[in-house]
Short mmCIF file of all heavy atoms in Angstrom, two decimals:
data_model
loop_
_atom_site.label_atom_id
_atom_site.label_comp_id
_atom_site.label_asym_id
_atom_site.label_seq_id
_atom_site.Cartn_x
_atom_site.Cartn_y
_atom_site.Cartn_z
N ASN W 18 -138.56 -43.08 -90.81
CA ASN W 18 -139.91 -42.90 -91.32
C ASN W 18 -139.90 -42.42 -92.77
O ASN W 18 -140.84 -41.82 -93.25
CB ASN W 18 -140.68 -41.89 -90.46
CG ASN W 18 -140.91 -42.42 -89.07
OD1 ASN W 18 -141.01 -43.62 -88.88
ND2 ASN W 18 -140.99 -41.53 -88.10
N LYS W 29 -128.65 -30.23 -110.66
CA LYS W 29 -128.71 -28.85 -111.12
C LYS W 29 -128.15 -27.90 -110.07
O LYS W 29 -127.40 -26.98 -110.38
CB LYS W 29 -130.16 -28.48 -111.44
CG LYS W 29 -130.31 -27.10 -112.04
CD LYS W 29 -131.75 -26.86 -112.43
CE LYS W 29 -131.92 -25.48 -113.03
NZ LYS W 29 -133.31 -25.20 -113.41
N LEU W 37 -119.12 -17.37 -109.49
CA LEU W 37 -119.52 -16.58 -110.65
C LEU W 37 -118.33 -16.32 -111.57
O LEU W 37 -117.19 -16.18 -111.11
CB LEU W 37 -120.11 -15.25 -110.20
CG LEU W 37 -121.51 -15.29 -109.58
CD1 LEU W 37 -121.86 -13.92 -109.00
CD2 LEU W 37 -122.54 -15.70 -110.61
N LYS W 66 -121.16 6.05 -121.44
CA LYS W 66 -121.24 7.02 -122.54
C LYS W 66 -120.77 6.44 -123.87
O LYS W 66 -121.22 6.85 -124.94
CB LYS W 66 -120.41 8.25 -122.18
CG LYS W 66 -120.97 9.05 -121.01
CD LYS W 66 -120.11 10.28 -120.75
CE LYS W 66 -120.68 11.10 -119.61
NZ LYS W 66 -119.85 12.32 -119.34
N ILE W 81 -141.03 -7.30 -106.00
CA ILE W 81 -140.23 -6.17 -105.56
C ILE W 81 -141.10 -4.93 -105.47
O ILE W 81 -142.19 -4.87 -106.04
CB ILE W 81 -139.03 -5.94 -106.51
CG1 ILE W 81 -139.47 -5.92 -107.98
CG2 ILE W 81 -137.98 -7.04 -106.32
CD1 ILE W 81 -139.83 -4.59 -108.51
N ASP W 104 -114.06 6.78 -113.04
CA ASP W 104 -112.97 7.26 -112.20
C ASP W 104 -112.55 6.26 -111.14
O ASP W 104 -111.43 6.32 -110.64
CB ASP W 104 -113.39 8.57 -111.53
CG ASP W 104 -113.64 9.65 -112.55
OD1 ASP W 104 -113.07 9.57 -113.66
OD2 ASP W 104 -114.45 10.55 -112.23
N ASN W 106 -113.51 2.18 -108.99
CA ASN W 106 -114.04 0.82 -109.13
C ASN W 106 -115.56 0.86 -109.13
O ASN W 106 -116.18 1.58 -108.34
CB ASN W 106 -113.54 -0.04 -107.95
CG ASN W 106 -113.78 -1.51 -108.21
OD1 ASN W 106 -114.72 -1.87 -108.91
ND2 ASN W 106 -112.94 -2.33 -107.63
N ILE W 115 -125.73 3.41 -104.04
CA ILE W 115 -127.02 2.72 -104.11
C ILE W 115 -127.90 3.16 -102.94
O ILE W 115 -127.43 3.21 -101.79
CB ILE W 115 -126.82 1.19 -104.13
CG1 ILE W 115 -128.07 0.50 -104.64
CG2 ILE W 115 -126.46 0.66 -102.77
CD1 ILE W 115 -127.83 -0.96 -104.99
N GLY W 119 -130.23 -2.72 -97.47
CA GLY W 119 -129.88 -4.14 -97.44
C GLY W 119 -129.15 -4.56 -98.69
O GLY W 119 -129.77 -4.92 -99.71
N GLU W 124 -121.34 -14.43 -104.53
CA GLU W 124 -120.11 -14.96 -105.12
C GLU W 124 -120.34 -16.25 -105.90
O GLU W 124 -119.44 -16.66 -106.64
CB GLU W 124 -119.06 -15.21 -104.03
CG GLU W 124 -118.64 -13.95 -103.28
CD GLU W 124 -117.58 -14.22 -102.25
OE1 GLU W 124 -117.23 -15.42 -102.06
OE2 GLU W 124 -117.10 -13.26 -101.62
N ALA W 160 -152.40 -7.38 -95.25
CA ALA W 160 -152.08 -6.54 -94.10
C ALA W 160 -152.35 -7.29 -92.80
O ALA W 160 -153.03 -8.33 -92.78
CB ALA W 160 -152.92 -5.26 -94.15
N GLU W 163 -157.15 -8.93 -87.76
CA GLU W 163 -157.55 -9.68 -86.58
C GLU W 163 -157.60 -11.17 -86.91
O GLU W 163 -158.10 -11.55 -87.97
CB GLU W 163 -158.92 -9.21 -86.10
CG GLU W 163 -159.39 -9.91 -84.82
CD GLU W 163 -160.73 -9.39 -84.34
OE1 GLU W 163 -161.26 -8.45 -84.99
OE2 GLU W 163 -161.23 -9.91 -83.33
N GLU W 196 -132.06 -11.21 -76.12
CA GLU W 196 -132.01 -12.66 -75.92
C GLU W 196 -132.99 -13.40 -76.83
O GLU W 196 -132.98 -14.63 -76.86
CB GLU W 196 -132.32 -13.01 -74.46
CG GLU W 196 -131.37 -12.38 -73.46
CD GLU W 196 -129.93 -12.80 -73.71
OE1 GLU W 196 -129.71 -13.96 -74.15
OE2 GLU W 196 -129.02 -11.98 -73.49
N ILE W 204 -136.09 -24.89 -96.44
CA ILE W 204 -136.55 -26.28 -96.57
C ILE W 204 -137.41 -26.37 -97.83
O ILE W 204 -138.27 -25.52 -98.06
CB ILE W 204 -137.35 -26.72 -95.34
CG1 ILE W 204 -136.51 -26.58 -94.07
CG2 ILE W 204 -137.84 -28.15 -95.49
CD1 ILE W 204 -137.24 -26.97 -92.80
N LYS W 227 -131.98 -27.62 -79.80
CA LYS W 227 -131.14 -28.45 -80.67
C LYS W 227 -131.95 -29.58 -81.30
O LYS W 227 -131.77 -29.91 -82.48
CB LYS W 227 -129.97 -29.02 -79.87
CG LYS W 227 -128.94 -27.99 -79.44
CD LYS W 227 -127.81 -28.65 -78.66
CE LYS W 227 -126.79 -27.61 -78.20
NZ LYS W 227 -125.71 -28.25 -77.41
N ILE W 251 -142.09 -33.39 -87.96
CA ILE W 251 -141.28 -33.34 -86.74
C ILE W 251 -142.04 -33.73 -85.49
O ILE W 251 -141.45 -33.79 -84.41
CB ILE W 251 -140.68 -31.93 -86.54
CG1 ILE W 251 -141.78 -30.91 -86.23
CG2 ILE W 251 -139.89 -31.50 -87.76
CD1 ILE W 251 -141.26 -29.52 -85.88
N SER W 274 -145.78 -17.83 -74.99
CA SER W 274 -145.16 -19.16 -74.98
C SER W 274 -143.64 -19.07 -74.94
O SER W 274 -142.98 -19.84 -74.23
CB SER W 274 -145.61 -19.95 -76.21
OG SER W 274 -147.01 -20.11 -76.24
N ASN W 296 -148.10 -29.45 -73.69
CA ASN W 296 -148.83 -30.53 -73.05
C ASN W 296 -150.31 -30.44 -73.43
O ASN W 296 -150.73 -29.56 -74.17
CB ASN W 296 -148.65 -30.48 -71.53
CG ASN W 296 -149.05 -29.13 -70.94
OD1 ASN W 296 -149.68 -28.30 -71.60
ND2 ASN W 296 -148.69 -28.90 -69.70
N THR W 340 -179.83 -47.88 -74.39
CA THR W 340 -179.85 -49.20 -75.04
C THR W 340 -179.65 -50.34 -74.06
O THR W 340 -180.35 -51.36 -74.12
CB THR W 340 -178.76 -49.26 -76.13
OG1 THR W 340 -178.94 -48.18 -77.05
CG2 THR W 340 -178.84 -50.57 -76.91
N PRO W 387 -169.55 -20.01 -99.94
CA PRO W 387 -169.20 -18.58 -99.78
C PRO W 387 -169.76 -18.02 -98.49
O PRO W 387 -170.77 -18.49 -97.95
CB PRO W 387 -169.87 -17.94 -101.01
CG PRO W 387 -169.98 -19.04 -102.00
CD PRO W 387 -170.21 -20.29 -101.21
N GLY W 403 -183.42 -30.65 -88.78
CA GLY W 403 -183.63 -31.28 -87.48
C GLY W 403 -185.09 -31.35 -87.10
O GLY W 403 -185.58 -32.40 -86.65
N ARG W 443 -164.98 -39.47 -80.81
CA ARG W 443 -166.39 -39.57 -80.44
C ARG W 443 -167.09 -40.68 -81.24
O ARG W 443 -167.91 -41.43 -80.70
CB ARG W 443 -167.08 -38.23 -80.66
CG ARG W 443 -168.53 -38.23 -80.22
CD ARG W 443 -169.08 -36.82 -80.10
NE ARG W 443 -169.10 -36.12 -81.37
CZ ARG W 443 -168.48 -34.97 -81.58
NH1 ARG W 443 -167.78 -34.40 -80.63
NH2 ARG W 443 -168.55 -34.37 -82.77
N PHE W 444 -166.77 -40.82 -82.50
CA PHE W 444 -167.38 -41.88 -83.31
C PHE W 444 -166.95 -43.26 -82.83
O PHE W 444 -167.76 -44.20 -82.82
CB PHE W 444 -167.00 -41.69 -84.78
CG PHE W 444 -167.76 -40.60 -85.46
CD1 PHE W 444 -167.21 -39.34 -85.61
CD2 PHE W 444 -169.03 -40.83 -85.95
CE1 PHE W 444 -167.92 -38.33 -86.24
CE2 PHE W 444 -169.74 -39.83 -86.60
CZ PHE W 444 -169.19 -38.57 -86.73
N LEU W 466 -156.59 -42.99 -72.46
CA LEU W 466 -155.83 -42.45 -71.32
C LEU W 466 -154.40 -42.98 -71.32
O LEU W 466 -153.46 -42.25 -70.99
CB LEU W 466 -156.54 -42.81 -70.01
CG LEU W 466 -157.90 -42.15 -69.79
CD1 LEU W 466 -158.54 -42.66 -68.51
CD2 LEU W 466 -157.77 -40.64 -69.76
N MET W 503 -147.97 -16.21 -59.45
CA MET W 503 -147.19 -17.05 -60.38
C MET W 503 -145.81 -16.44 -60.55
O MET W 503 -145.51 -15.78 -61.54
CB MET W 503 -147.91 -17.18 -61.72
CG MET W 503 -149.22 -17.95 -61.63
SD MET W 503 -149.94 -18.34 -63.25
CE MET W 503 -150.40 -16.70 -63.82
N GLY W 511 -136.19 -28.44 -68.70
CA GLY W 511 -135.15 -27.78 -67.93
C GLY W 511 -135.44 -26.31 -67.84
O GLY W 511 -136.55 -25.89 -67.57
N TYR W 525 -147.84 -5.30 -54.20
CA TYR W 525 -148.91 -4.59 -53.51
C TYR W 525 -150.18 -5.43 -53.47
O TYR W 525 -150.89 -5.46 -52.45
CB TYR W 525 -149.19 -3.25 -54.20
CG TYR W 525 -150.36 -2.51 -53.59
CD1 TYR W 525 -150.21 -1.78 -52.42
CD2 TYR W 525 -151.62 -2.56 -54.18
CE1 TYR W 525 -151.28 -1.11 -51.85
CE2 TYR W 525 -152.70 -1.90 -53.63
CZ TYR W 525 -152.52 -1.16 -52.46
OH TYR W 525 -153.58 -0.51 -51.90
#
Side-chain angles (χ1 to χ4, degrees):
N18 294 331
K29 185 176 180 180
L37 287 172
K66 293 182 178 180
I81 49 91
D104 297 334
N106 194 331
I115 198 166
E124 298 182 356
E163 183 178 357
E196 301 301 326
I204 302 179
K227 291 180 181 178
I251 68 174
S274 300
N296 55 13
T340 305
R443 184 165 63 238
F444 283 98
L466 294 176
M503 293 190 292
Y525 176 80

